[in-house]
């Protein structure tokens, strides 16, 4: 607008000069006053126009900033949970990175503790069993102990090295339920994003730091079998070493008597090792046993750890509406266990559950069969 005003002034000045040259119809004082009035008007309007322009620029910048922030952070699903997630995002980032880096430490700790227990069993327990137990008990300990050890080692190795499964990166005809806001790829049913692994996992249960791996569709069976057989092994060691533990504990207490009994260095090491063995295996029995029972309940219900929380919220929401929530992936307790272990015939309980087996799980983890009478339920 300023350049238009200047152009008008220029035209008026040019017109005045032309009129003056044409014949001097008016005096030069009139033309001088006319020019002064035009310049005064121009100088009076310029500061106002500049100030308006600056105010308009600041207002436009503020409006643009509000639109940008709303476009980045606002959506119709915004609620208190979303705000808390954004506020705690730095804390989540620290925890995720620490878990990722300490995963190797946790795996090394599992291997070292398990190896120490195995060494103590071979060095301290096995000679006592071979020298004092009847033949049938010796055979039972040898067979059961080595079978249990084989199952623990096999399933832990497979749980840590098997990829849990991920959805395809490209578009396909596979039915999906949503788009991952982190990966920006379609997510099939029962798929969730792992912030530690930075990827989506098929039928994700949780991220296990003791495996340094996610527990998903393709290694869920290995994880549960490892927990189950490790718990059974700890119970076996704790019960088998109970009498030896009591003798070792009494011997250690006698160290402080006067006069103290004479034990060799090797005998003292055996006493302390047996105490360490019994305390460690008994503690792991309760801790890992509780975790194993919890996962057994989830498997019986056809749920994962993530789905447990989702289904609980959905159950409360439908209850407020007078409806009953039904898990669309629950096929009955027995059928859930068969699908989990991929048991298709009775002989598979032996070859696929009680013996090491690398068979694939039931289904591909992308599409799921739901009971016909539950087609009207919403897939979580």
């Amino acid at each position: 607008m300023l350049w238009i005003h200047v152009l008008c002034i220029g035209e008026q000045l040019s017109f005045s000069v032309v009129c003056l040259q044409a014949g001097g119809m008016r005096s030069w004082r009139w033309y001088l006053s006319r020019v002064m009035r035009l310049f005064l008007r121009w100088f009076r309007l310029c500061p106002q126009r500049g100030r308006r322009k600056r105010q308009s620029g600041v207002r436009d910048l503020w409006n643009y900033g509000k639109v940008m922030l709303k476009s980045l952070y606002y959506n119709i699903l915004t609620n208190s949970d979303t705000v808390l997630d954004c506020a705690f995002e730095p804390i989540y980032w620290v925890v995720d990175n620490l878990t990722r880096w300490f995963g190797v430490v946790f795996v090394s700790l599992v291997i070292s503790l398990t190896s120490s227990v195995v060494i103590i069993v071979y060095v301290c327990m096995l000679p006592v069993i071979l020298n004092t137990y009847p033949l049938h008990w010796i055979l039972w300990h040898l067979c059961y102990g080595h079978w249990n050890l084989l199952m623990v080692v096999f399933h832990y190795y497979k749980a840590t090295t098997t990829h849990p499964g991920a959805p395809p990166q490209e578009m396909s005809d596979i039915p999906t339920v949503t788009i991952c806001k982190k990966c920006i790829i379609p997510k099939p049913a029962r798929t969730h994003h792992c912030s530690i692994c930075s990827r989506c996992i098929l039928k994700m249960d949780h991220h296990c730091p003791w495996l340094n791996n996610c527990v998903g569709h393709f290694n869920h069976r290995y994880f549960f079998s490892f927990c189950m057989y490790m718990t059974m092994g700890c119970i076996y060691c704790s019960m088998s070493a109970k009498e030896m533990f009591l003798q070792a504990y009494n011997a250690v207490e006698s160290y402080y008597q006067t006069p103290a009994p004479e034990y060799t260095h090797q005998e003292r090491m055996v006493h302390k090792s047996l105490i360490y063995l019994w305390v460690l295996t008994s503690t792991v029995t309760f801790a890992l046993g509780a975790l194993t029972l919890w996962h057994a309940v989830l498997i019986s219900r056809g749920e994962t750890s993530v789905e447990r929380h989702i289904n609980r919220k959905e159950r409360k929401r439908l209850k407020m509406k007078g409806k009953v929530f039904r898990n669309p992936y629950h096929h009955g307790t027995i059928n859930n266990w068969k699908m989990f272990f991929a048991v298709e015939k009775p002989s598979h309980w032996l070859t696929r559950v009680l013996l090491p087996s690398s068979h694939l799980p039931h289904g591909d983890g992308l599409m799921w069969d739901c009971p016909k009478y539950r087609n009207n339920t919403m897939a979580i």
Side-chain angles (χ1 to χ4, degrees), residues 156-193:
Y156 186 72
Y157 172 77
K158 296 294 290 185
T160 55
T161 58
T162 302
H163 194 285
Q169 300 294 322
E170 66 280 356
M171 297 297 295
S172 61
D173 297 333
I174 299 173
T176 58
V177 295
T178 184
I179 300 294
C180 179
K181 64 180 181 180
K182 299 293 183 65
C183 301
I184 318 299
I185 61 173
K187 289 200 307 183
R190 313 187 80 178
T191 300
H192 301 279
H193 184 85

Side-chain angles (χ1 to χ4, degrees), residues 273-291:
S273 297
L274 290 173
I275 294 175
Y276 162 81
L277 169 69
W278 192 86
V279 172
L280 178 62
T281 54
S282 300
T283 304
V284 174
T285 296
F286 286 102
L288 190 59
L291 179 65

Side-chain angles (χ1 to χ4, degrees), residues 112-213:
S112 60
L113 291 177
T114 305
S115 301
S116 65
V117 170
V118 173
I119 292 173
I120 294 174
V121 169
Y122 275 103
V123 174
C124 302
M125 286 182 55
L126 191 57
V128 176
I129 293 175
L130 295 176
N131 295 327
T132 59
Y133 282 31
L135 180 60
H136 63 280
W137 280 112
I138 294 176
L139 294 176
W140 186 87
H141 279 284
L142 290 176
C143 294
Y144 178 83
H146 288 90
W147 168 78
N148 203 155
L149 177 62
L150 174 63
M151 299 299 287
V152 168
V153 174
F154 172 79
H155 286 101
Y156 186 72
Y157 172 77
K158 296 294 290 185
T160 55
T161 58
T162 302
H163 194 285
Q169 300 294 322
E170 66 280 356
M171 297 297 295
S172 61
D173 297 333
I174 299 173
T176 58
V177 295
T178 184
I179 300 294
C180 179
K181 64 180 181 180
K182 299 293 183 65
C183 301
I184 318 299
I185 61 173
K187 289 200 307 183
R190 313 187 80 178
T191 300
H192 301 279
H193 184 85
C194 177
S195 58
I196 300 175
C197 297
S198 299
R199 61 189 178 186
C200 286
I201 304 299
L202 298 177
K203 192 194 169 186
M204 179 180 175
D205 188 90
H206 69 287
H207 183 92
C208 182
W210 302 103
L211 302 179
N212 195 27
N213 194 8

Side-chain angles (χ1 to χ4, degrees), residues 222-243:
Y222 297 129
F223 164 77
F224 178 78
S225 297
F226 163 73
C227 293
M228 180 177 64
Y229 288 115
M230 178 63 82
T231 302
M232 293 170 58
C234 290
I235 294 174
Y236 163 75
C237 291
S238 179
M239 295 182 63
S240 300
K242 180 181 178 181
E243 297 297 330

Side-chain angles (χ1 to χ4, degrees), residues 147 151 229 341 343 345-357 359:
W147 168 78
M151 299 299 287
Y229 288 115
F341 286 112
V343 173
K345 52 185 180 180
S347 61
H348 285 170
W349 289 106
L350 173 63
T351 59
R352 295 188 172 186
V353 180
L354 299 180
L355 293 177
S357 176
H359 66 277

